Amino acid sequence: MENMEGPRVTDCERCPALVESRSRIVNGVGPEDADLLIVGEAPGEQEDREGEPFVGRSGTQLDEKLREHGIAREDVRITNCVRCRPPENRDPTKEELENCRGYLEREIELIDPELVMTVGKVPTEHLLERDVAVTKEAGSVAEHRIGGVARKVLISVHPAAMLYDRSQEATLDSTIEEAAALIGAERSDQSRLDSY
Ligand code: URA
């Protein structure tokens, strides 16, 4: 695909407002053969600064939750629907999401994960192409065709939701537990490693 090297977008100027607000394009990170691909909304301030998805506060929450359920961040591919930071962290517009969709579909095609986990409303509705009440549907797996291929999509609340509503923590816990079960992550091994 034009503008891409493997799953990485090298240059793009399709969204004038984002070209203006970003310091860089924030591509996905993690193994290209990952079993689990986590899809967020868009880079925030810290992600824009460091050039990596989920390295701010919600990233810390996410990493911790993954670890508690036996999944190491290093083993997961993490990306966003939109690769450039929107001004004042507003939601990406429909047009911006559409402009970036081909890149996301190409990344999903190349990584070919066993499971895609969408975190929050924007990525869930974007990939499933319907309205979703995320808190109600969190933890459920939808089968959906993405780029022509049937994918399993596990719906999750956004890790940042936990920061202002503790009741969402249990929902996030059970969702990530479900992800671990679906990709066969071995929690006991991880706990053993953690004790060293
Ligand atoms: N929230 C997101 O959705 N994506 C990030 O990369 C960071 C926070």
Side-chain angles (χ1 to χ4, degrees):
M1 192 179 187
E2 167 213 7
N3 299 350
M4 288 190 89
E5 269 169 22
R8 298 176 54 81
V9 178
T10 48
D11 63 288
C12 181
E13 306 212 329
R14 288 181 195 167
C15 308
L18 303 192
V19 169
E20 180 74 23
S21 63
R22 74 179 181 202
S23 349
R24 71 198 84 237
I25 295 170
V26 179
N27 280 296
V29 289
E32 294 192 12
D33 61 352
D35 292 334
L36 175 61
L37 170 71
I38 297 180
V39 182
E41 181 177 317
E45 185 180 6
Q46 198 154 339
E47 288 76 20
D48 175 72
R49 207 181 310 130
E50 295 184 30
E52 186 170 328
F54 284 99
V55 288
R57 280 222 302 169
S58 27
T60 309
Q61 299 286 333
L62 180 65
D63 293 357
E64 250 173 51
K65 282 292 160 208
L66 290 171
R67 218 180 114 192
E68 281 173 21
H69 296 283
I71 305 173
R73 178 183 168 106
E74 301 72 52
D75 293 338
V76 172
R77 181 91 188 174
I78 308 183
T79 197
N80 281 307
C81 293
V82 163
R83 292 174 194 242
C84 301
R85 182 193 179 196
E88 276 108 51
N89 296 340
R90 65 154 167 76
D91 285 355
T93 63
K94 284 248 160 353
E95 193 184 352
E96 289 162 353
L97 284 162
E98 278 322 306
N99 284 344
C100 222
R101 188 175 184 102
Y103 302 140
L104 178 61
E105 286 189 359
R106 178 76 178 135
E107 185 169 19
I108 296 172
E109 182 191 342
L110 288 174
I111 307 299
D112 192 23
E114 279 176 37
L115 182 68
V116 175
M117 184 172 100
T118 50
V119 295
K121 192 175 181 68
V122 170
T124 305
E125 293 192 336
H126 184 51
L127 280 183
L128 296 183
E129 300 171 284
R130 63 171 168 90
D131 291 341
V132 181
V134 170
T135 39
K136 284 209 192 102
E137 292 194 44
S140 65
V141 176
E143 297 264 349
H144 195 72
R145 294 186 87 76
I146 302 172
V149 179
R151 300 283 176 191
K152 277 196 199 120
V153 179
L154 174 63
I155 301 171
S156 177
V157 293
H158 197 281
M162 250 174 64
L163 298 168
Y164 53 82
D165 176 3
R166 290 316 286 190
S167 73
Q168 304 245 10
E169 183 165 3
T171 313
L172 187 61
D173 270 321
S174 55
T175 304
I176 294 187
E177 197 175 335
E178 174 74 5
L182 288 167
I183 61 164
E186 288 179 29
R187 184 177 186 164
S188 55
D189 286 352
Q190 185 63 36
S191 329
R192 232 182 293 132
L193 287 174
D194 285 348
S195 62
Y196 284 109

